[in-house]
Tab-separated table of all heavy atoms in Angstrom:
chain	number	residue	atom	x	y	z
C	1413	PHE	N	0.827	-1.209	0.000
C	1413	PHE	CA	0.000	0.000	0.000
C	1413	PHE	C	0.860	1.258	0.000
C	1413	PHE	O	0.527	2.254	-0.647
C	1413	PHE	CB	-0.935	-0.007	1.208
C	1413	PHE	CG	-2.220	-0.757	0.981
C	1413	PHE	CD1	-2.307	-1.768	0.035
C	1413	PHE	CD2	-3.350	-0.467	1.730
C	1413	PHE	CE1	-3.483	-2.465	-0.174
C	1413	PHE	CE2	-4.544	-1.148	1.525
C	1413	PHE	CZ	-4.606	-2.151	0.572
C	1414	MET	N	1.974	1.235	0.725
C	1414	MET	CA	2.837	2.408	0.772
C	1414	MET	C	3.470	2.682	-0.594
C	1414	MET	O	3.536	3.836	-1.028
C	1414	MET	CB	3.908	2.222	1.842
C	1414	MET	CG	3.353	2.269	3.265
C	1414	MET	SD	4.525	1.701	4.515
C	1414	MET	CE	5.748	3.004	4.439
C	1415	VAL	N	3.903	1.629	-1.270
C	1415	VAL	CA	4.446	1.795	-2.626
C	1415	VAL	C	3.371	2.352	-3.551
C	1415	VAL	O	3.615	3.277	-4.336
C	1415	VAL	CB	4.972	0.444	-3.160
C	1415	VAL	CG1	5.299	0.541	-4.650
C	1415	VAL	CG2	6.211	0.020	-2.384
C	1416	PHE	N	2.174	1.793	-3.460
C	1416	PHE	CA	1.073	2.249	-4.293
C	1416	PHE	C	0.745	3.720	-4.021
C	1416	PHE	O	0.608	4.524	-4.953
C	1416	PHE	CB	-0.164	1.389	-4.031
C	1416	PHE	CG	-1.394	1.875	-4.735
C	1416	PHE	CD1	-1.605	1.578	-6.072
C	1416	PHE	CD2	-2.339	2.638	-4.056
C	1416	PHE	CE1	-2.744	2.043	-6.724
C	1416	PHE	CE2	-3.472	3.100	-4.696
C	1416	PHE	CZ	-3.678	2.793	-6.039
C	1417	ILE	N	0.628	4.082	-2.759
C	1417	ILE	CA	0.243	5.449	-2.402
C	1417	ILE	C	1.292	6.455	-2.856
C	1417	ILE	O	0.954	7.521	-3.408
C	1417	ILE	CB	0.001	5.564	-0.887
C	1417	ILE	CG1	-1.265	4.802	-0.491
C	1417	ILE	CG2	-0.122	7.027	-0.456
C	1417	ILE	CD1	-1.475	4.686	1.009
C	1418	VAL	N	2.570	6.151	-2.628
C	1418	VAL	CA	3.636	7.092	-2.986
C	1418	VAL	C	3.587	7.420	-4.481
C	1418	VAL	O	3.876	8.554	-4.888
C	1418	VAL	CB	5.017	6.520	-2.596
C	1418	VAL	CG1	6.143	7.307	-3.254
C	1418	VAL	CG2	5.183	6.556	-1.082
C	1419	GLY	N	3.203	6.443	-5.314
C	1419	GLY	CA	3.108	6.713	-6.742
C	1419	GLY	C	1.756	7.248	-7.162
C	1419	GLY	O	1.650	8.305	-7.786
C	1420	MET	N	0.680	6.535	-6.807
C	1420	MET	CA	-0.640	6.877	-7.327
C	1420	MET	C	-1.224	8.140	-6.703
C	1420	MET	O	-1.981	8.867	-7.360
C	1420	MET	CB	-1.592	5.699	-7.123
C	1420	MET	CG	-2.928	5.854	-7.836
C	1420	MET	SD	-2.798	5.962	-9.636
C	1420	MET	CE	-2.781	4.230	-10.097
C	1421	ALA	N	-0.897	8.421	-5.455
C	1421	ALA	CA	-1.477	9.605	-4.806
C	1421	ALA	C	-0.907	10.905	-5.359
C	1421	ALA	O	-1.441	11.976	-5.067
C	1421	ALA	CB	-1.280	9.533	-3.292
C	1422	THR	N	0.162	10.844	-6.152
C	1422	THR	CA	0.633	12.059	-6.816
C	1422	THR	C	-0.426	12.591	-7.778
C	1422	THR	O	-0.407	13.766	-8.147
C	1422	THR	CB	1.934	11.799	-7.597
C	1422	THR	OG1	1.697	10.811	-8.600
C	1422	THR	CG2	3.040	11.317	-6.676
C	1423	THR	N	-1.351	11.718	-8.175
C	1423	THR	CA	-2.407	12.150	-9.097
C	1423	THR	C	-3.385	13.125	-8.439
C	1423	THR	O	-4.126	13.813	-9.137
C	1423	THR	CB	-3.174	10.934	-9.640
C	1423	THR	OG1	-3.818	10.254	-8.553
C	1423	THR	CG2	-2.231	9.973	-10.340
C	1424	LEU	N	-3.392	13.168	-7.112
C	1424	LEU	CA	-4.227	14.176	-6.444
C	1424	LEU	C	-3.768	15.584	-6.814
C	1424	LEU	O	-4.580	16.509	-6.922
C	1424	LEU	CB	-4.164	13.981	-4.923
C	1424	LEU	CG	-4.777	12.686	-4.381
C	1424	LEU	CD1	-4.483	12.550	-2.894
C	1424	LEU	CD2	-6.278	12.664	-4.632
C	1425	VAL	N	-2.470	15.734	-7.003
C	1425	VAL	CA	-1.925	17.011	-7.458
C	1425	VAL	C	-2.186	17.195	-8.951
C	1425	VAL	O	-2.407	18.307	-9.431
C	1425	VAL	CB	-0.410	17.082	-7.165
C	1425	VAL	CG1	0.170	18.416	-7.617
C	1425	VAL	CG2	-0.136	16.854	-5.685
C	1426	ALA	N	-2.193	16.093	-9.685
C	1426	ALA	CA	-2.340	16.150	-11.141
C	1426	ALA	C	-3.761	16.440	-11.602
C	1426	ALA	O	-3.960	17.005	-12.689
C	1426	ALA	CB	-1.869	14.828	-11.758
C	1427	ASP	N	-4.773	16.047	-10.813
C	1427	ASP	CA	-6.162	16.117	-11.282
C	1427	ASP	C	-6.604	17.511	-11.734
C	1427	ASP	O	-7.190	17.645	-12.815
C	1427	ASP	CB	-7.102	15.573	-10.207
C	1427	ASP	CG	-7.053	14.055	-10.116
C	1427	ASP	OD1	-6.557	13.428	-11.071
C	1427	ASP	OD2	-7.503	13.504	-9.093
C	1428	PRO	N	-6.389	18.580	-10.958
C	1428	PRO	CA	-6.829	19.893	-11.450
C	1428	PRO	C	-6.076	20.333	-12.707
C	1428	PRO	O	-6.667	20.986	-13.582
C	1428	PRO	CB	-6.549	20.826	-10.270
C	1428	PRO	CG	-5.583	20.105	-9.403
C	1428	PRO	CD	-5.852	18.664	-9.589
C	1429	VAL	N	-4.811	19.961	-12.809
C	1429	VAL	CA	-4.040	20.301	-14.008
C	1429	VAL	C	-4.558	19.507	-15.208
C	1429	VAL	O	-4.660	20.028	-16.326
C	1429	VAL	CB	-2.540	20.024	-13.787
C	1429	VAL	CG1	-1.723	20.465	-14.994
C	1429	VAL	CG2	-2.047	20.721	-12.522
C	1430	LEU	N	-4.908	18.239	-14.976
C	1430	LEU	CA	-5.470	17.403	-16.042
C	1430	LEU	C	-6.785	17.977	-16.542
C	1430	LEU	O	-7.035	18.030	-17.754
C	1430	LEU	CB	-5.670	15.987	-15.518
C	1430	LEU	CG	-6.186	14.947	-16.533
C	1430	LEU	CD1	-5.160	14.716	-17.638
C	1430	LEU	CD2	-6.512	13.632	-15.827
C	1431	ALA	N	-7.623	18.422	-15.625
C	1431	ALA	CA	-8.896	19.030	-16.026
C	1431	ALA	C	-8.658	20.283	-16.864
C	1431	ALA	O	-9.354	20.520	-17.862
C	1431	ALA	CB	-9.716	19.369	-14.782
C	1432	ASP	N	-7.670	21.073	-16.511
C	1432	ASP	CA	-7.353	22.278	-17.288
C	1432	ASP	C	-6.848	21.924	-18.684
C	1432	ASP	O	-7.135	22.635	-19.658
C	1432	ASP	CB	-6.298	23.117	-16.556
C	1432	ASP	CG	-6.870	23.854	-15.350
C	1432	ASP	OD1	-8.105	24.030	-15.294
C	1432	ASP	OD2	-6.088	24.239	-14.463
C	1433	GLU	N	-6.098	20.830	-18.807
C	1433	GLU	CA	-5.600	20.411	-20.116
C	1433	GLU	C	-6.742	20.102	-21.075
C	1433	GLU	O	-6.626	20.312	-22.287
C	1433	GLU	CB	-4.701	19.175	-19.983
C	1433	GLU	CG	-3.268	19.489	-19.631
C	1433	GLU	CD	-2.345	18.306	-19.911
C	1433	GLU	OE1	-2.825	17.267	-20.428
C	1433	GLU	OE2	-1.148	18.429	-19.616
C	1434	PHE	N	-7.857	19.590	-20.533
C	1434	PHE	CA	-9.017	19.290	-21.368
C	1434	PHE	C	-9.982	20.471	-21.462
C	1434	PHE	O	-11.055	20.352	-22.063
C	1434	PHE	CB	-9.754	18.062	-20.815
C	1434	PHE	CG	-9.079	16.756	-21.132
C	1434	PHE	CD1	-8.274	16.126	-20.199
C	1434	PHE	CD2	-9.252	16.154	-22.376
C	1434	PHE	CE1	-7.649	14.918	-20.487
C	1434	PHE	CE2	-8.634	14.948	-22.673
C	1434	PHE	CZ	-7.824	14.329	-21.732
C	1435	GLY	N	-9.620	21.582	-20.860
C	1435	GLY	CA	-10.450	22.775	-20.932
C	1435	GLY	C	-11.724	22.703	-20.122
C	1435	GLY	O	-12.685	23.424	-20.397
C	1436	THR	N	-11.746	21.844	-19.096
C	1436	THR	CA	-12.965	21.676	-18.297
C	1436	THR	C	-12.896	22.407	-16.954
C	1436	THR	O	-13.909	22.498	-16.259
C	1436	THR	CB	-13.253	20.187	-18.054
C	1436	THR	OG1	-12.124	19.596	-17.397
C	1436	THR	CG2	-13.498	19.463	-19.372
C	1437	GLY	N	-11.735	22.876	-16.574
C	1437	GLY	CA	-11.591	23.698	-15.383
C	1437	GLY	C	-12.052	23.029	-14.098
C	1437	GLY	O	-11.931	21.816	-13.926
C	1438	SER	N	-12.618	23.853	-13.216
C	1438	SER	CA	-13.025	23.355	-11.901
C	1438	SER	C	-14.161	22.353	-11.994
C	1438	SER	O	-14.252	21.423	-11.181
C	1438	SER	CB	-13.423	24.531	-10.997
C	1438	SER	OG	-14.484	25.276	-11.581
C	1439	LEU	N	-15.039	22.516	-12.992
C	1439	LEU	CA	-16.119	21.535	-13.169
C	1439	LEU	C	-15.535	20.165	-13.503
C	1439	LEU	O	-15.965	19.137	-12.955
C	1439	LEU	CB	-17.066	21.988	-14.275
C	1439	LEU	CG	-18.182	20.987	-14.637
C	1439	LEU	CD1	-19.072	20.712	-13.428
C	1439	LEU	CD2	-19.002	21.499	-15.812
C	1440	GLY	N	-14.557	20.151	-14.386
C	1440	GLY	CA	-13.917	18.887	-14.739
C	1440	GLY	C	-13.222	18.245	-13.548
C	1440	GLY	O	-13.299	17.026	-13.356
């Protein structure tokens, strides 16, 4: 779980940036 979290939980930071890449902003 620790290995998984250290890698996959970085996506919590990525999600708002990913939404902006698709032009969906805060709604996305």
